[in-house]
Amino acid sequence: MSHFPVALCDQLNNSTACDQQRKQSHCKKMTMPSHKAAHCIPPHTLTRLAREWLAEDTPNFDPAGACVGSQEVEARLLCKTPHSVLAGSPFFTAVFTEVGCTVDWVYQEGEEIGPGAITLTAVVKGPARCLLLGERSALNCLARASGIATRCSQLQAAAAERGWHGEVAGTRKTTPGFRLVEKYAMLVGSVSMHRQDLSGMVMLKDNHVWASGSITQAVREARSVCGFSSKVEVECQSAEEGREAAAAGADIVMLDNFQPQELHVAAHVLKEEFPALLIEASGGVTPENLAMYFSPHVDIISLGCITQGCPVVDFSLKVQKPATPPSKTTSVMYKQSHDDSIRKCERRLF
């Protein structure tokens, strides 16, 4: 956290000139983000998470708070990763609300930020020490969520460009304790979250099958517990395993770690025999090879890289240095320094 250096101020002013009208029209009315996904998060959940993050970062004293005090300051949120999708603003706002600060957003949740190298994204106001208390927790959420939403948006755009009918989806490979934020970011990026957790849907993987004895036995036992309200998915290593799973009553078959051409053949065979069966492709899929897995017989393609190894978006929060007139002490010091400089010049000349 620092004051704006002059060079950065000039760069920001140049790169965000076109944002000034946007800021004037949005900031006054946008104290909370406008995106349908934001309405899925219960207010008490936002409050709980914000308090947990703040308690983790400041479990007792904040000695640095004594240096800055509680005078009102204004800080600018800057995005330094052009063409990023903004995600996580409900969490960012919740953190600063908890410490008594306000946030005015220039960009809406889900919008692409840029194209400038440095783009003004929001303005935060509040007591200096409180603003600094919330800074890191808020930035962490925003950087991570925006990175995931940006990758999701790129993947979804690739699917749309090819005219693929299915859904790009995430996985449960999320950061412990941070799943809600990361799943939410998938929504903002327009991909499927997949199941939220182990309670959300039954997924029988190879270990479940080996422990129970067979695919058929595993599906029957799971179905007897979950009933009609949950779907059952089975991870399969071959078309034959997929056929057994479908015959046992599975709703979804995951063809795991198939090469693209093998996937297309197996999916076609299964769809012909079980037209209502959903086919998911997973394992080894990356942003670079995603298009190779598109097929009219594949309904879902899930990627662990949506959350694992996903680049974050570079955000920083910069306090604006107040434009105050020099104090009396500063004026006296300046005069003394000026007089000393004149004397030195006189000695050199004479």
Side-chain angles (χ1 to χ4, degrees), residues 26 53 93 102 162 180 184 264 330 346:
H26 283 292
W53 295 329
T93 300
T102 62
R162 296 298 185 98
L180 189 144
Y184 167 82
H264 301 324
T330 304
E346 288 173 343

Side-chain angles (χ1 to χ4, degrees), residues 252-253 255 263 267 270-271 277-281 297-300:
I252 309 166
V253 163
L255 299 178
L263 169 74
L270 289 170
K271 280 287 191 177
L277 183 69
L278 292 176
I279 304 293
E280 176 179 347
H297 311 296
V298 174
D299 304 289
I300 307 139

Side-chain angles (χ1 to χ4, degrees), residues 13-319:
N13 290 335
N14 292 334
S15 65
T16 62
C18 62
D19 289 329
Q20 296 309 309
Q21 183 176 358
R22 181 192 190 102
K23 179 185 176 184
Q24 292 172 2
S25 62
H26 283 292
C27 275
K28 294 299 182 182
K29 59 184 179 182
M30 282 188 58
T31 54
M32 281 296 288
S34 176
H35 191 282
K36 62 182 180 181
H39 301 299
C40 298
I41 311 171
H44 66 272
T45 299
L46 283 173
T47 300
R48 175 180 59 81
L49 288 173
R51 289 177 177 175
E52 288 175 357
W53 295 329
L54 289 166
E56 176 188 51
D57 206 31
T58 316
N60 41 69
F61 287 111
D62 172 34
C67 304
V68 294
S70 296
Q71 72 272 20
E72 289 291 313
V73 295
E74 177 178 304
R76 292 184 179 184
L77 175 66
L78 307 177
C79 177
K80 294 179 281 187
T81 309
H83 304 293
S84 298
V85 174
L86 178 65
S89 52
F91 306 102
F92 186 95
T93 300
V95 168
F96 280 114
T97 298
E98 194 63 27
V99 293
C101 299
T102 62
V103 183
D104 291 322
W105 290 96
V106 178
Y107 281 81
Q108 293 189 31
E109 189 82 333
E111 283 190 309
E112 183 177 294
I113 304 172
I118 300 176
T119 304
L120 177 63
T121 307
V123 176
V124 184
K125 297 177 182 178
R129 68 183 186 89
C130 296
L131 193 148
L132 290 164
L133 279 174
E135 176 196 12
R136 178 43 51 200
S137 298
L139 287 175
N140 286 349
C141 290
L142 203 66
R144 179 74 173 143
S146 295
I148 292 171
T150 300
R151 170 161 285 184
C152 289
S153 179
Q154 293 165 349
L155 296 172
Q156 189 60 36
E161 184 180 348
R162 296 298 185 98
W164 183 57
H165 74 286
E167 293 188 42
V168 177
T171 68
R172 270 196 313 124
K173 296 175 182 177
T174 55
T175 307
F178 213 58
R179 179 173 293 172
L180 189 144
V181 176
E182 295 176 352
K183 290 286 190 179
Y184 167 82
M186 295 179 199
L187 281 181
V188 176
S190 300
V191 307
S192 171
M193 295 185 293
H194 213 299
R195 59 175 176 164
Q196 299 282 336
D197 46 48
L198 290 175
S199 303
M201 182 180 76
V202 179
M203 183 183 289
L204 303 174
K205 302 176 76 68
D206 51 5
N207 287 327
H208 294 95
V209 173
W210 295 336
S212 63
S214 71
I215 289 175
T216 300
Q217 183 67 19
V219 171
R220 287 176 179 171
E221 290 183 358
R223 180 65 74 189
S224 69
V225 176
C226 70
F228 70 90
S229 62
S230 294
K231 289 184 178 180
V232 175
E233 179 171 10
V234 181
E235 178 184 273
C236 299
Q237 311 300 320
S238 67
E240 290 71 26
E241 288 187 356
R243 185 178 288 108
E244 181 183 354
D251 303 287
I252 309 166
V253 163
M254 175 194 288
L255 299 178
D256 190 40
N257 287 311
F258 277 58
Q259 292 299 311
Q261 192 55 43
E262 295 173 346
L263 169 74
H264 301 324
V265 173
H268 187 201
V269 169
L270 289 170
K271 280 287 191 177
E272 281 194 329
E273 189 171 350
F274 304 96
L277 183 69
L278 292 176
I279 304 293
E280 176 179 347
S282 188
V285 187
T286 67
E288 291 74 27
N289 66 17
L290 173 63
M292 298 174 65
Y293 290 83
F294 294 151
S295 164
H297 311 296
V298 174
D299 304 289
I300 307 139
I301 301 176
S302 56
L303 301 89
C305 65
I306 284 178
T307 48
Q308 290 194 329
C310 181
V312 299
V313 173
D314 187 3
F315 286 101
S316 62
L317 196 62
K318 299 295 182 181
V319 171

